[in-house]
Every structure is written in C-alpha cells, then in structure tokens.
C-alpha cells in the first residue's frame, strides 16, 4: 500500500539518515559482510538504528495506527453494548477502545514484532540504500499477512 511505502521510506531511508551519520551508514552498507563484522562504528550505528526502530517507531507509531484503523474499519460490536441504544459511538470512544486493546496486547505485540523485524531490519539497515526498499517491501508483505492472521479477524483482540 502506498501509505505504508511512503512511511517506510521516510523512516528507514530519510529518517535514519537524519538521526545517524550518513557517511558511516553508507560506508558500512557498501562493505562486504566480512568487513562489516570488523567495523565497530558501523555496528554500533546499526544497533542504534535497530533500537530507535524497535523502541520508538514500532510501539509509538505502528501499533497505535494498526489498532486505530482496525477499530474504525472493523469495530468489535460487543465493545459497544454498554452504550445506550440509539446513541452513536463517538470517534473518541473508538479511540479509547482501540488504545485499550493495544494496552491489553502491548507486550505480546511488541515482543512479537521485535522477534520478526529485528533480524529483518538488521539485514535491511546493512544493505546499500538502493536495496532497502525492495527488501523492506518484501518483508513487509509477509508481516502484513501474519498480522492479518493473528490480529485481523473479527473478534481478534
């Protein structure tokens, strides 16, 4: 999807180049694998990029967006039984329900996502920039299918 691609490009290409030294990033990404293992500065920066992705982007952007979109598109009607009949559900209430579901699943979702994405991003942040997006989109396709399977169905909480 277009929005996912733009977001990934902004975070993984543009954003990381703003947060971290692009000269070190480019040097590290262009090295053969055996040389990467010896380049401590590049390895430290790779670890920092993974940390930013796993501790900021993932829990503060990815999951809240997922739960909000899911609640607005496929609300679980049993959540709304407490609301008086005839009254419509407000956007605020939907946001509360979405964030409540995210809170219930916070640790499971974030550890699961980290287990999937940390190895993939290690590769993605290690390859030359021109290969990042094709690899990222391929891995993202697999992730979206897993996410749909585990969290996408009716009543999936």
């Amino acid at each position: 999807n277009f929005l996912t691609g733009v977001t990934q490009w902004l975070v993984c290409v543009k954003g990381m180049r703003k947060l971290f030294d692009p000269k070190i990033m480019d040097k590290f990404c262009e090295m053969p694998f055996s040389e990467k293992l010896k380049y401590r500065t590049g390895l430290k920066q790779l670890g920092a990029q993974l940390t930013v992705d796993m501790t900021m982007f993932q829990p503060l952007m990815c999951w809240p967006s997922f739960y909000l979109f899911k609640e607005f598109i496929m609300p679980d009607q049993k959540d709304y039984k407490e609301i008086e009949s005839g009254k419509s559900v407000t956007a605020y209430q939907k946001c509360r329900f979405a964030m409540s579901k995210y809170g219930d699943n916070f640790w499971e979702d974030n550890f699961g996502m980290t287990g999937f994405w940390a190895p993939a991003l290690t590769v993605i942040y290690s390859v030359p920039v021109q290969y990042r997006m094709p690899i990222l989109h391929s891995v993202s396709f697999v992730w979206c299918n897993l996410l749909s399977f585990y969290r996408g169905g009716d009543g999936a909480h």
Side-chain angles (χ1 to χ4, degrees):
N1 121 0
F2 178 74
L3 183 59
T4 302
V6 169
T7 303
Q8 289 173 338
W9 181 75
L10 287 171
V11 171
C12 295
V13 176
K14 291 296 186 182
M16 291 301 179
R17 293 181 76 77
K18 296 262 189 229
L19 291 173
F20 301 99
D21 187 343
K23 291 176 190 165
I24 294 171
M25 186 184 296
D26 292 342
K27 181 178 177 181
F28 181 77
C29 290
E30 296 295 334
M31 290 177 161
F33 184 73
S34 60
E35 293 298 314
K36 287 178 185 179
L37 296 175
K38 299 174 191 170
Y39 186 45
R40 288 192 181 277
T41 304
L43 289 171
K44 286 179 185 176
Q45 188 163 291
L46 173 62
Q49 288 175 332
L50 288 170
T51 300
V52 165
D53 204 296
M54 298 292 112
T55 62
M56 294 174 68
F57 179 66
Q58 173 182 301
L60 302 176
M61 290 177 65
C62 292
W63 285 116
S65 297
F66 169 77
Y67 280 101
L68 285 168
F69 274 100
K70 184 173 182 233
E71 193 65 30
F72 277 85
I73 295 168
M74 294 175 44
D76 189 351
Q77 296 304 319
K78 68 181 178 200
D79 290 340
Y80 301 106
K81 287 185 178 176
E82 302 169 359
I83 297 169
E84 291 180 36
S85 67
K87 283 192 168 189
S88 61
V89 179
T90 65
Y92 174 75
Q93 289 168 315
K94 287 187 177 199
C95 289
R96 276 191 36 230
F97 282 120
M99 291 302 94
S100 174
K101 289 174 186 173
Y102 176 43
D104 292 345
N105 296 322
F106 181 86
W107 295 108
E108 181 180 353
D109 286 351
N110 282 289
F111 280 119
M113 192 172 190
T114 298
F116 179 87
W117 278 104
L121 288 172
T122 300
V123 172
I124 291 164
Y125 290 146
S126 298
V127 298
V129 173
Q130 66 267 23
Y131 300 119
R132 282 188 182 183
M133 296 317 294
I135 296 170
L136 181 58
H137 292 318
S138 299
V139 173
S140 187
F141 176 77
V142 173
W143 171 253
C144 287
N145 282 289
L146 287 170
L147 185 59
S148 293
F149 181 77
Y150 286 106
R151 289 283 186 250
D154 287 339
H157 194 72

